Amino acid sequence: RVMEVTDKGSELGSPIKKKNKNTLESRLNDILCCVVCLDLPPSSVMQCPNGHLMCSSCHGHVLADAILKDSTASCPSCRVDLARYLCSRNLAVEKAVAELLTRCSACDEELARNDLEEHQRKHCSERICQCKCQLIGCEWQGARNKLQQHEDKCEYLSRSSEEILHCLQAREAAKPVDTEQAKLLDMLSGEELHFSDVHLKAFYTEEFSRRLYYESSRFSLHSCMWTLKVFVKENMEGCYRSLTYQLVCKQRLPTNLLVKFAIVAGPLNSISINIKVNVFEFKESEPESHEYHLPLAHISDCNKLISSKTISLRLVISPKDSKKS
């Protein structure tokens, strides 16, 4: 049977190679992998008090899971208490993982893991590139090693200046309008603009299945008293989480109040938020806004916020003239 497999491999032009699990590299992969996802950590490496390793995203997910369940986080391997202040980064493991060899998924070249990103961005001969004439209509894209062959005979290089100008004008006309940027500029150009750094604390509902939410204390903004609430949303599989927020007016309004507001990360915050402006009209009979999605830039930022003791956000409010709307 071994001979049959070898013969088939030789007919294809290359012998069949089996991965040797006894090599130092393979053994290090097994030793340095995350105890949660069982993969090598892509960036920072956290360790429990007993030294078991976790990638930073899995560490944040474990802490967030415990907070959502109102329980104590524990290491998945040894079950020791796993609080943020009990864990530490392992810089030696981070440097060792960065030096382990890996293969480029495009050209199959073997190189160190810390060189992979730059290789795929600049040096990989199989990386996908576009023609230098893409701005004037050329739609070709292909491997980097075939780019020069295409550009030598690209028909767009022989076009006249009038044809190029026509292509650029058509491209500009077809460009979609960034409505979110327009809303943001409209809010920032208003006569009044107010902001407040809001700190939200964790609370649990009194239902049978306790649910986590965050709420701030009352704060004054635009001559009104407000509170901000943040809710955790999980998808059906429970693998990914998202956050929504709600603005609540905590005083009686003599007239309807139409405002534009947005949430930004604020100072000394390690997360990134894609700013989205919302508009809501607060009434005496409707003091709570709708729940709006908090557009975090990275999925891991959600667990990072949940695992922290308090959530700190900056709320920006601008009154809107109801007559213009």
Side-chain angles (χ1 to χ4, degrees), residues 215 226-227 229 231 245-251 253 261 280-292:
E215 186 173 1
W226 308 89
T227 59
K229 293 182 178 180
F231 306 95
Y245 69 95
Q246 182 184 50
L247 186 60
V248 183
C249 182
K250 301 300 277 187
Q251 73 179 49
L253 295 172
F261 57 95
F280 188 79
E281 185 173 13
F282 292 90
K283 308 174 184 177
E284 184 178 353
S285 59
E286 198 173 2
E288 299 180 348
S289 72
H290 304 307
E291 286 188 26
Y292 299 101

Side-chain angles (χ1 to χ4, degrees), residues 32 45 51 71 112 125 138 174-175 208-209 213-214 237 241 255-256 267 271 283 316 320:
L32 302 178
V45 179
S71 60
S125 60
C138 182
K175 198 178 205 180
F208 176 75
S209 56
Y213 71 97
Y214 294 83
E237 291 79 14
R241 301 186 176 99
T255 58
N256 295 350
I271 65 167
K283 308 174 184 177
V316 183
K320 182 175 181 180

